[in-house]
Amino acid sequence: MAIGELAGKAQTVLGLIEGDSLGITLPHEHLLLDGRTIFTEPSGASEKGLARQPVDWGNLSWLRYHPYENLDNVCLLDEQEAIEEAMLFKKGGGSTIVDLTVVGIGRDPRALARISRTTGLNVVMGAGYYVRSSLGSEISAKTEEEICQEIVRDIAVGVGDTGVRAGIIGEIGCSWPLHDDERKVIRAAAHAQQRTGASINMHPGRNREAPFEIIEILGEAGADLNRVVISHIDARIRDHSERSRLARMGCCLEYDLWGWEGHFPCYWTADDFLDLPNDTQRIYEILQLAEEGDLNQILISHDICAKSKRVRYGGWGYCHISNYVVPMMHKRGVAPEVIDTLMVENPRRLLCFV
Ligand SMILES: [Zn+2]
């Protein structure tokens, strides 16, 4: 397909659609994910045992504090389970899910197409690479231009021989400190954006400086920062003036951990300023940004990336924002047009190629 055909349209795993057909959109989720590549081995013997237990009622409490330290919990490998969980979002009025599972964490284009056909939901697939630790050594041998061409091919032709095309670049995985190969992928993503008109979603490393470093590299590489989304703002930038500073740089701020109100494991990062707000705080933070004119740069989603975040395991699932956050917003006086901007207009603008 010629790149020129993309302009003004969104690309789902089943083909091009008009932006108006996207409707209520979750811009950062994972329907399928193989997180074994990013699993962190606990050091103590008893926790090594817990790390290998299947998820069940006996370990759900431990998983609240250690969501990514259990091999089974970080594996979303069951297509039927993904369909059933995604249907809860559809029943709540949703119509589009952006699946940002990229290379390194088990991207599965054909399965995403089947999930889209079965559920009737639009599914948009990501392109690019997750954090360096999820990848083999081949990434080090690739040039910036080769990585850029791969991303462009995923968008214009499709992944491998599947014919399933990506509709967004990312989430591009970054660590803290940033690995040289990650820097190379960031630059490749910027060039692929210039060639395709796609938007880019970035996963910053666990440090409050990480988003700023990423924006600087993208800017130097010529990215359109108005079409760059910084993920996990709710667990990266806990200071309003810093969020404003980031918004001034032109990028979008994504609150994508709605429903996760618990404990942010302190052993994950040396940055003592990282923490998690609860959903009410998220609403007030967004209202403050909106009052200062940044509403058009905010996205909201759940980033469901572990079993314990799904409904069948006692979590909140893809339907949490529609079923629980929107009524909470109404109660706190958030205007319907504001909610529409967050859930429909902003994702549509970013998913339509330019
Ligand atoms: Zn994610």
Side-chain angles (χ1 to χ4, degrees), residues 64-141:
R64 272 185 203 283
Y65 301 93
H66 304 264
Y68 307 144
E69 275 125 80
N70 173 283
L71 278 165
D72 187 35
N73 201 39
V74 293
C75 283
L76 303 178
L77 310 180
D78 184 332
E79 196 175 312
Q80 188 55 36
E81 179 181 306
I83 288 167
E84 288 168 22
E85 293 277 331
M87 283 306 288
L88 299 174
F89 169 62
K90 190 179 185 192
K91 286 180 186 168
S95 64
T96 301
I97 294 182
V98 181
D99 181 287
L100 293 182
T101 299
V102 286
V103 180
I105 44 176
R107 183 175 60 170
D108 192 336
R110 285 198 178 95
L112 292 180
R114 288 192 296 267
I115 292 170
S116 176
R117 284 190 205 102
T118 309
T119 59
L121 288 163
N122 300 311
V123 175
V124 176
M125 178 176 70
Y129 289 86
Y130 201 58
V131 295
R132 178 62 180 82
S133 56
S134 72
L135 305 169
S137 55
E138 319 87 68
I139 189 73
S140 300

Side-chain angles (χ1 to χ4, degrees), residues 7 19 143 150 159 177 214 216 231 239 249 279 284 307 350:
T143 65
E150 280 176 18
V159 177
I214 289 165
E216 195 181 319
S231 283
D239 179 88
M249 293 167 152
D279 284 348
Y284 287 129
K307 285 193 171 81
L350 288 155

Side-chain angles (χ1 to χ4, degrees), residues 226-240:
N226 293 316
R227 297 183 57 73
V228 169
V229 179
I230 300 291
S231 283
H232 318 322
I233 286 296
D234 27 4
R236 294 296 184 277
I237 308 191
R238 298 285 76 243
D239 179 88
H240 175 72

Side-chain angles (χ1 to χ4, degrees), residues 28-30 100 171 232 303 305:
H28 189 144
E29 301 297 341
H30 301 275
L100 293 182
E171 63 182 304
H232 318 322
D303 190 19
C305 59

Side-chain angles (χ1 to χ4, degrees), residues 25-292:
T25 299
L26 293 174
H28 189 144
E29 301 297 341
H30 301 275
L31 289 164
L32 294 166
L33 177 125
D34 179 0
R36 285 173 292 192
T37 51
I38 46 168
F39 163 74
T40 339
E41 179 78 46
S43 54
S46 65
E47 295 203 322
K48 279 180 193 288
L50 283 164
R52 282 166 181 77
Q53 287 179 0
V55 174
D56 69 17
W57 291 109
N59 54 32
L60 276 176
S61 174
W62 184 75
L63 288 172
R64 272 185 203 283
Y65 301 93
H66 304 264
Y68 307 144
E69 275 125 80
N70 173 283
L71 278 165
D72 187 35
N73 201 39
V74 293
C75 283
L76 303 178
L77 310 180
D78 184 332
E79 196 175 312
Q80 188 55 36
E81 179 181 306
I83 288 167
E84 288 168 22
E85 293 277 331
M87 283 306 288
L88 299 174
F89 169 62
K90 190 179 185 192
K91 286 180 186 168
S95 64
T96 301
I97 294 182
V98 181
D99 181 287
L100 293 182
T101 299
V102 286
V103 180
I105 44 176
R107 183 175 60 170
D108 192 336
R110 285 198 178 95
L112 292 180
R114 288 192 296 267
I115 292 170
S116 176
R117 284 190 205 102
T118 309
T119 59
L121 288 163
N122 300 311
V123 175
V124 176
M125 178 176 70
Y129 289 86
Y130 201 58
V131 295
R132 178 62 180 82
S133 56
S134 72
L135 305 169
S137 55
E138 319 87 68
I139 189 73
S140 300
K142 289 186 179 175
T143 65
E144 196 174 299
E145 175 58 21
E146 282 169 338
I147 296 166
C148 171
Q149 283 179 17
E150 280 176 18
I151 295 173
V152 172
R153 188 184 185 281
D154 284 355
I155 292 170
V157 180
V159 177
D161 64 355
T162 64
V164 179
R165 294 190 286 262
I168 186 167
I169 301 167
E171 63 182 304
I172 301 296
C174 299
S175 312
W176 183 270
L178 197 63
H179 191 286
D180 281 345
D181 287 335
E182 292 170 342
R183 189 178 298 270
K184 181 167 68 180
V185 175
I186 296 174
R187 295 182 55 83
H191 298 314
Q193 181 193 52
Q194 288 170 329
R195 293 183 206 175
T196 60
S199 60
I200 302 176
N201 187 297
M202 298 298 308
H203 164 102
R206 289 185 185 130
N207 187 286
R208 73 202 123 128
E209 289 302 321
F212 297 96
E213 182 186 35
I214 289 165
I215 287 297
E216 195 181 319
I217 299 167
L218 282 168
E220 282 169 10
D224 177 356
L225 297 181
N226 293 316
R227 297 183 57 73
V228 169
V229 179
I230 300 291
S231 283
H232 318 322
I233 286 296
D234 27 4
R236 294 296 184 277
I237 308 191
R238 298 285 76 243
D239 179 88
H240 175 72
S241 61
E242 292 294 281
R243 287 189 286 274
S244 292
R245 180 159 78 93
L246 191 62
R248 292 286 84 70
M249 293 167 152
C251 61
C252 293
L253 281 59
E254 189 176 78
Y255 280 80
D256 50 23
L257 301 170
W258 290 86
W260 189 11
E261 298 187 303
H263 171 85
F264 191 72
C266 53
Y267 50 85
W268 274 357
T269 169
D271 186 341
D272 297 337
F273 287 82
L274 297 198
D275 200 359
L276 271 179
N278 64 26
D279 284 348
T280 309
Q281 287 170 297
R282 287 179 172 101
I283 292 171
Y284 287 129
E285 288 180 16
I286 288 174
L287 282 176
Q288 195 175 359
L289 287 163
E291 276 165 21
E292 294 171 13

